[in-house]
Amino acid sequence: MPMFITGLGTAVPSQRHAQRDGWDAVQQWPKFSQLKPRSRAILKKILCGDNGIDTRHLALESLADVFDSTPDELHARFARHAPALASEAARRAMQNAGCRPAEIDAVLISTCTGYLCPGLTSYVSEQLGLRADVFGLDLVGQGCGAALPNLRAGEAILAARRAKKVLSICVEVCSAAFFMDDDPGVLISACLFGDGAGAAVLSTTPLPGRRRVEWKFAGSRLVTSERDTLRFGQQDGKLRNILQPNVPQVAGDLAEKLFSESLLAAGLEREQIAGWILHTGGRDVILALRDKLKLSADDVRHSSAVLREFGNLSSPTVYFVLERALNDSVPDGLWWLCAFGAGFSCHGAILKVKAA
């Protein structure tokens, strides 16, 4: 049973902040002088230098909200904004697919930046007006790479003939895990990540008159020995992003290995790949991917553009990149979709893109 991506939608908070705004705000924080000199230098380098990010959209009334939020305030930020962002991205995806809420048979939502029970599927189904018998599946804990496992779960549901249309959603309120202390991982995370959601309508049939995107092959690799390279921890009731300096190297090595294995398994040659839909991670991650996958700046231009405008959006990123690529001049043919993150995990898929 084939699977087609028939609609895409994305959403971000309305509040848009330049990186330099963050540097101006942190200097006004009364406890800024209490940070170690190294910590202040990290903040200045990332927020004032060229790290591939110009702006980010954050669910904050004020950038000052980053500095002294309590665990309850962080949770409230997630509970308020995650359902709203997920629902908005889903509405746009359904509109893009010409799909009514009553046609959705299953909704799958991935996140790692907050926890709700009942999960996001309950709130999003209500806001979208989905049927009472819709199958809802909440997926947590897969970090930046979550979109691919989400899409593969949708593929399995369609292949089992349990649904004709599946709504795939990834949403992250990364600012619900922002705060300040002298941990470099915490500081870098607060300077790199943005808030947003991405959604896709998955169907067993393509949409007539539309560029066709067919899911052809997928694979994953999990390296548990690198688990502490990138993951969330908990401290004082707050999510703490653990981010080691070797993330770009690990991501590049694993992405190259998975890509090579996937080509072999699918019986393809590298020259057959016409488009590259890659999770951004950060500027250094993109550079590592370019090196390992032998890519040009033009090959990764959509990933770089999403990073520059939104920062690292975590799991929704590849929806943003795919949306841009489909609206641009990337040629038809086989495209490589790849995301990676906590675990350390890496996921990839081959898409077949064809003109209407």
Side-chain angles (χ1 to χ4, degrees):
M1 178 69 68
M3 181 175 88
F4 299 89
I5 298 174
T6 58
L8 286 168
T10 57
V12 292
S14 60
Q15 302 93 330
R16 184 185 184 198
H17 303 279
Q19 287 291 80
R20 184 70 193 218
D21 294 340
W23 174 243
D24 294 339
V26 75
Q27 290 182 95
Q28 301 301 315
W29 182 39
K31 298 179 184 178
F32 177 69
S33 61
Q34 298 176 24
L35 292 174
K36 295 178 180 178
R38 182 188 182 215
S39 299
R40 297 197 296 270
I42 289 172
L43 290 169
K44 184 175 183 179
K45 179 180 179 181
I46 299 176
L47 294 172
C48 298
D50 183 8
N51 281 275
I53 301 172
D54 287 342
T55 58
R56 291 179 290 161
H57 291 253
L58 300 170
L60 302 170
E61 296 301 323
S62 166
L63 289 175
D65 293 343
V66 171
F67 306 128
D68 295 302
S69 294
T70 66
D72 285 349
E73 289 170 336
L74 293 172
H75 172 73
R77 187 176 302 154
F78 179 85
R80 176 185 175 189
H81 292 283
L85 288 169
S87 297
E88 183 60 29
R91 286 190 193 96
R92 292 174 179 173
M94 289 190 295
Q95 182 179 22
N96 185 240
C99 173
R100 294 177 292 105
E103 297 177 65
I104 299 296
D105 302 305
V107 55
L108 318 180
I109 304 183
S110 298
T111 193
C112 69
T113 48
Y115 175 76
L116 295 175
C117 182
L120 282 165
T121 56
S122 173
Y123 299 93
V124 172
S125 295
E126 178 185 29
Q127 292 189 24
L128 296 179
L130 302 185
R131 301 194 318 262
D133 66 344
V134 70
F135 173 67
L137 183 61
D138 290 275
L139 303 169
V140 298
Q142 294 179 308
C144 295
L148 274 292
N150 184 306
L151 291 164
R152 291 186 71 178
E155 178 194 24
I157 292 170
L158 292 172
R161 301 181 187 275
R162 300 293 185 182
K164 292 183 179 180
K165 285 185 170 60
V166 174
L167 192 54
S168 165
I169 305 171
C170 285
V171 57
E172 304 294 358
V173 185
C174 296
S175 62
F178 283 178
F179 54 93
M180 290 285 153
D181 64 19
D182 284 305
D183 183 333
V186 168
L187 296 173
I188 293 170
S189 298
C191 295
L192 293 184
F193 285 90
D195 299 337
V201 175
L202 314 177
S203 176
T204 55
T205 56
L207 199 63
R210 175 78 62 81
R211 201 176 191 190
R212 179 180 298 190
V213 182
E214 183 178 1
W215 184 273
K216 298 296 292 184
F217 178 88
S220 297
R221 285 195 65 86
L222 176 65
V223 182
T224 57
S225 61
E226 295 287 355
R227 182 180 293 134
D228 287 338
T229 300
L230 179 61
R231 68 179 180 87
F232 265 132
Q234 282 272 358
Q235 185 172 329
D236 300 324
K238 299 178 180 180
L239 286 172
R240 173 177 290 271
N241 200 23
I242 296 170
L243 181 66
Q244 299 299 328
N246 62 330
V247 164
Q249 177 185 341
V250 173
D253 289 344
L254 194 53
E256 190 279 328
K257 187 172 184 63
L258 176 63
F259 179 57
S260 297
E261 292 174 345
S262 297
L263 288 179
L264 183 64
L268 299 171
E269 299 293 333
R270 186 192 185 284
E271 292 72 23
Q272 293 176 261
I273 304 300
W276 304 87
I277 311 301
L278 307 176
H279 173 59
T280 53
R283 182 200 61 183
D284 292 346
V285 172
I286 291 178
L287 291 174
L289 292 173
R290 285 187 58 188
D291 176 58
K292 291 294 182 177
L293 298 174
K294 309 304 180 189
L295 302 176
S296 67
D298 188 63
D299 290 329
V300 300
R301 67 186 184 277
H302 299 104
S303 293
S304 297
V306 169
L307 179 67
R308 189 162 295 280
E309 185 174 347
F310 301 105
N312 182 345
L313 290 158
S314 189
S315 63
T317 298
V318 289
Y319 298 90
F320 283 72
V321 180
L322 180 59
E323 186 177 50
R324 286 188 176 227
L326 287 170
N327 291 326
D328 194 19
S329 57
V330 180
D332 289 346
L334 300 178
W335 294 6
W336 176 245
L337 174 69
C338 183
F340 39 84
F344 200 101
S345 60
C346 186
H347 312 279
I350 294 171
L351 307 177
K352 184 176 181 179
V353 180
K354 185 179 179 181

